[in-house]
Amino acid sequence: MLAEEKAPETVAQLVLWHLGYGVDWPTLVQLSREWANPSEVALARQFVARQAAADGADKAVEAGDSLV
């Protein structure tokens, strides 16, 4: 999804650290303060939120399908 959306490298790195390693956002802000600006962090958070919403919608459809 990151490649499909042509996410900047900085945004992609933040997303991967959050999703892949479970690093929370306040810690990511501290770790990346020298190479990521607040806008990039916000974009990364938005990407994760959209992905979580899409995953939740997919799970709801799957759960509904299994009831039929």
Side-chain angles (χ1 to χ4, degrees):
M1 292 291 296
L2 289 166
E4 287 177 11
E5 292 191 19
K6 298 180 182 173
E9 185 177 332
T10 303
V11 173
Q13 186 67 54
L14 292 165
V15 169
L16 292 173
W17 283 3
H18 179 72
L19 295 177
Y21 295 109
V23 180
D24 62 51
W25 291 112
T27 301
L28 278 174
V29 168
Q30 288 298 319
L31 291 172
S32 66
R33 68 180 176 265
E34 293 190 22
W35 51 267
N37 63 48
S39 295
E40 291 167 323
V41 174
L43 285 172
R45 292 181 76 147
Q46 288 173 2
F47 180 89
V48 170
R50 282 195 325 269
Q51 189 64 36
D55 288 347
D58 289 344
K59 289 178 184 174
V61 169
E62 289 174 10
D65 288 346
S66 65
L67 295 174
V68 176

